[in-house]
Amino acid sequence: MNTSDLRRLLLFTLLGGLMMLLMTVLHLDLPTPDLPVPLEGAALPEQARTERLQAEGRALWQGDWAMQARLPGAARGLDGQASRCVRCHGGTALPRALLTRVDSQAGLCRLLREGARADGSRIAPAMPRYDATESDCAALWMHLAAPMR
């Protein structure tokens, strides 16, 4: 790097610092890029919220996002690959059939957490029990209830 380059670098650094100082003193804001808004507590338009929930539910269903899971009576939890929904229930067509046995988002949450259907009957012990949050249940419900494409 020669002397001319060093002078130019110093000049740009000083100008940048002066610009930041002026913006701070004058209370000017720099433009910020459009960042994704976290779903929790965010005010999103209804369609955007629905699409986001469906995408999150699809990620949970396929195992791209993991939920803690265990088999009934087991001391240890299952790893993320073993507890993926898609592993036992399949990809795209079958999930909608599962909704005939679950009547609501709350019912899905109860099924995932406790292994109990809406009518009180128990699911097979081979189905893991999940530590599903309300957000997990909402996302999975929206994915399962979404119209097939």
Side-chain angles (χ1 to χ4, degrees), residues 2 7 34 43 49 55 80 91 101 112 114 120 123 144:
N2 62 34
R7 284 184 189 150
D34 292 333
R49 183 178 184 282
R101 306 189 85 182
L112 292 172
E114 303 167 24
I123 59 174
L144 293 172

Side-chain angles (χ1 to χ4, degrees), residues 57-139:
R58 187 171 41 259
L60 286 166
W61 182 267
Q62 294 171 346
D64 297 333
W65 290 1
M67 285 188 290
Q68 296 294 316
R70 68 201 173 297
L71 291 175
R76 289 182 27 179
L78 296 170
D79 72 18
Q81 291 299 312
S83 62
R84 296 180 314 147
C85 305
V86 73
R87 182 174 178 163
C88 298
H89 296 290
T92 55
L94 187 58
R96 280 50 177 194
L98 296 175
L99 289 180
T100 61
R101 306 189 85 182
V102 178
D103 62 348
S104 65
Q105 180 181 315
L108 176 64
C109 225
R110 183 173 178 218
L111 182 87
L112 292 172
R113 292 175 180 161
E114 303 167 24
R117 293 187 186 97
D119 64 5
S121 64
R122 306 295 293 177
I123 59 174
M127 166 85 175
R129 305 309 185 257
Y130 293 89
D131 296 332
T133 66
E134 290 300 320
S135 294
D136 294 337
C137 293

